[in-house]
Amino acid sequence: MSMNAYITGACDTRVGELPGSSCMGLHAEAAFGAIRDAGLEPGHIDGVLCAYSFTEPHLMLGSVFCEYTGLSPNFCAAIQAGGASACIMIMQAAALVASGQCNHVLVVAGDNRLTGLSRDGAVAALAEVGHPQFERPFGISVPASYALVAQRYMHEFGVSPEHLAAIAVEHRRHAGRHPKAHKREPISIDDVLNSREISSPLRLLDCCLVSDGGAALVVSRRPAGHDGRRRAVEILGAGQGHTHEHIVAAPSLVDFGCKASSQRAFSAAGLRPADIDVALIYDSFTITLLAELESIGFFARGEAGPAALEGQLGLDGALPCNTHGGLLSYGHSGAAGGMFHAVEAVHQLRGQADLRQVDGAKLAFVHGDGGILSAHCSLVLGAA
């Protein structure tokens, strides 16, 4: 099955500590790289979707970006859904081209969160995630909210700190094969377990990075005109799921919107989790990935942790997952963090992932979530 939409261009910038970088500069570098990769000129772009920025906040970031780059699209908007922004933008771009409103939609995100934002500034920005009446006054943090989920999983399904640590170790192993990754030095389970406690049971190496970087895709109505190097990737299915915004209002600490979003995406594609060759799933914390792997249906309850410990998320495992290193080791630059997952999926399906290539990868699953496991969007992609 198909949504009649294709990813024809993909690009990500360098990631990590990039002194002198700026939000708009990273947007532009990724955007023009994706346009070139699609074999297009800037004038061919008739739709633009941006996300948001902490370092250069603006109510109309899409318009700011178009002004900065000189683009004049027929359609322009900014979407703010936290870590789900990238997947939601891709889903929206697919709808725009499938409906005939646009021919080529540029989807772009980027931020210089590491060098452009102070530690206090980052903490203050993330503190806004909490409910103004029932969370913020009591000092809850984003890591503490995810730690709450982790504690519940440990109680309910026997998840151990070693299970979570195994996820971080595998991601670092993946990142070691990617020349652009922010963190490439190998780590061990003991390294994770002995790293500084952030919010029990989560430790420093259970948490995502803070990075500079940007990424972009071009979504087109048709794949025509692409050679073997630039072959298009088909968007086969997409879906969203939303259960709450603040963790205090979550109907469950073990069931989240990813269950509904993935079911909708798989249904649209006419596929099942067992059909997927490579998964790129949001990993803001180790518990984020573990919970989503089970809710989406890749593993039964209580099985994702032992599977990670056995190496099943590795390159030769049952489900190669986040082969670029994910947010835990490749890098996290705000909305661009989720876009890195989508770019990696394109590289895998094109056979361009070099040392981290999954043999024979034809189908990829990409998932993003925003807030405290609040907004969810899933994509099923196929090699065209």
Side-chain angles (χ1 to χ4, degrees):
M1 299 176 70
S2 173
M3 295 181 66
N4 298 311
Y6 301 84
I7 298 172
T8 55
C11 179
D12 50 3
T13 70
R14 290 183 300 128
V15 179
E17 185 174 358
L18 307 178
S21 63
S22 69
C23 169
M24 280 298 108
L26 292 165
H27 270 71
E29 181 183 346
F32 289 125
I35 293 169
R36 285 193 302 272
D37 186 58
L40 300 171
E41 298 294 333
H44 291 126
I45 299 298
D46 53 7
V48 171
L49 291 170
C50 284
Y52 61 94
S53 167
F54 279 4
T55 62
E56 297 181 36
H58 198 283
L59 291 174
M60 299 172 63
L61 197 67
S63 298
V64 171
F65 166 75
C66 288
E67 178 182 76
Y68 184 86
T69 55
L71 297 176
S72 300
N74 301 337
F75 182 97
C76 177
I79 290 176
Q80 186 163 330
S85 298
C87 286
I88 289 177
M89 289 193 294
I90 295 166
M91 184 177 180
Q92 179 65 40
L96 287 168
V97 300
S99 66
Q101 296 182 71
C102 296
N103 291 307
H104 303 286
V105 179
L106 175 68
V107 181
V108 60
D111 222 346
N112 57 328
R113 281 199 180 182
L114 181 56
T115 61
L117 202 64
S118 69
R119 182 188 179 96
D120 289 345
V123 171
L126 291 172
E128 295 299 309
V129 172
H131 191 287
Q133 184 176 0
F134 300 114
E135 292 180 351
R136 281 189 225 162
F138 304 101
I140 194 169
S141 65
V142 171
S145 298
Y146 278 90
L148 186 66
V149 175
Q151 292 281 13
R152 187 64 189 181
Y153 258 82
M154 288 180 163
H155 171 76
E156 198 86 18
F157 304 114
V159 172
S160 71
E162 288 77 12
H163 292 150
L164 298 179
I167 290 173
V169 170
E170 194 67 73
H171 278 55
R172 185 61 63 87
R173 189 175 293 120
H174 284 315
R177 303 185 186 100
H178 200 307
K180 288 184 179 178
H182 188 168
K183 296 289 186 181
R184 301 181 64 197
E185 306 83 5
I187 56 173
S188 66
I189 287 179
D190 283 344
D191 289 333
V192 180
L193 298 180
N194 292 323
S195 62
R196 178 166 54 92
E197 187 177 82
I198 301 300
S199 184
S200 179
L202 301 179
R203 297 185 172 273
L204 181 65
L205 292 177
D206 286 302
C207 307
C208 64
L209 301 172
V210 178
S211 315
D212 302 329
L217 299 174
V218 175
V219 178
S220 303
R221 289 182 68 180
R222 54 182 61 90
H226 285 75
D227 56 29
R229 185 184 66 82
R230 285 199 303 252
R231 68 179 185 271
V233 166
E234 196 165 5
I235 301 175
L236 300 174
Q240 293 186 37
H242 305 271
T243 55
H244 65 282
E245 172 53 32
H246 302 98
I247 194 66
V248 70
S252 169
L253 289 178
V254 297
D255 281 313
F256 302 99
C258 52
K259 180 178 289 187
S261 69
S262 58
Q263 287 175 351
R264 289 168 183 144
F266 281 123
S267 177
L271 296 168
R272 304 169 302 150
D275 297 318
I276 296 300
D277 298 310
V278 58
L280 291 307
I281 299 175
Y282 207 74
D283 55 311
S284 49
F285 298 87
T286 50
I287 187 59
T288 311
L289 180 61
L290 185 145
E292 291 180 342
L293 284 169
E294 295 184 353
S295 288
I296 291 165
F298 287 115
F299 297 96
R301 291 293 195 193
E303 291 185 1
L309 205 55
E310 294 166 6
Q312 294 304 308
L313 305 182
L315 208 54
D316 299 318
L319 183 73
C321 184
N322 295 345
T323 49
H324 59 320
L327 306 176
L328 291 168
S329 283
Y330 180 78
H332 189 4
S333 309
M339 194 71 76
F340 295 145
H341 287 67
V343 169
E344 176 68 6
V346 172
H347 289 159
Q348 286 287 349
L349 296 179
R350 286 178 171 178
Q352 297 175 336
D354 299 324
L355 295 177
R356 61 191 190 281
Q357 182 66 49
V358 175
D359 288 340
K362 299 297 181 185
L363 293 168
F365 177 86
V366 185
H367 181 81
D369 81 76
I372 312 300
L373 291 158
S374 308
H376 295 263
C377 185
S378 304
L379 305 171
V380 178
L381 308 179

